[in-house]
Amino acid sequence: YKKMFSTSPISDVIAARITMSKKLLRNPNLTVSEVADLSGYTNDVHFMRQFKKKTGITPSEYRKKHLPAQ
């Protein structure tokens, strides 16, 4: 897998989960906890840590930055 795609399987899964969570965070009707669950995480804290590690900001900060002003 690593030779073929230049990444480990788990890194690929994490990247896909983060991509999905970014899309879901644009929905103001979902809580961060619901986004974590829908993205495949069973632990909210683990999701938040991993999201921040990969994006540099927390899920809440991402949401504020990417939701249209009301």
Side-chain angles (χ1 to χ4, degrees), residues 14-15 17-18 21-22 25 32-33 35-36 39 41-62:
I14 292 167
R17 286 178 173 176
I18 297 300
S21 66
K22 286 178 179 179
L25 285 166
V32 172
S33 182
V35 169
S39 300
Y41 290 90
T42 56
N43 183 309
D44 297 355
V45 174
H46 181 65
F47 163 67
M48 289 184 250
R49 279 192 199 128
Q50 209 162 53
F51 190 94
K52 184 163 184 174
K53 182 178 178 183
K54 295 295 180 185
T55 66
I57 58 176
T58 67
S60 295
E61 290 169 333
Y62 182 89

Side-chain angles (χ1 to χ4, degrees), residues 2-3 5 7-9 20 22-23 25-26 28-29 33 37 42 46 52-55 68:
K2 190 152 182 150
K3 280 184 183 180
F5 299 107
T7 188
S8 70
M20 172 61 91
K22 286 178 179 179
K23 290 177 187 172
L25 285 166
R26 292 173 188 244
N29 298 319
S33 182
D37 187 50
T42 56
H46 181 65
K52 184 163 184 174
K53 182 178 178 183
K54 295 295 180 185
T55 66

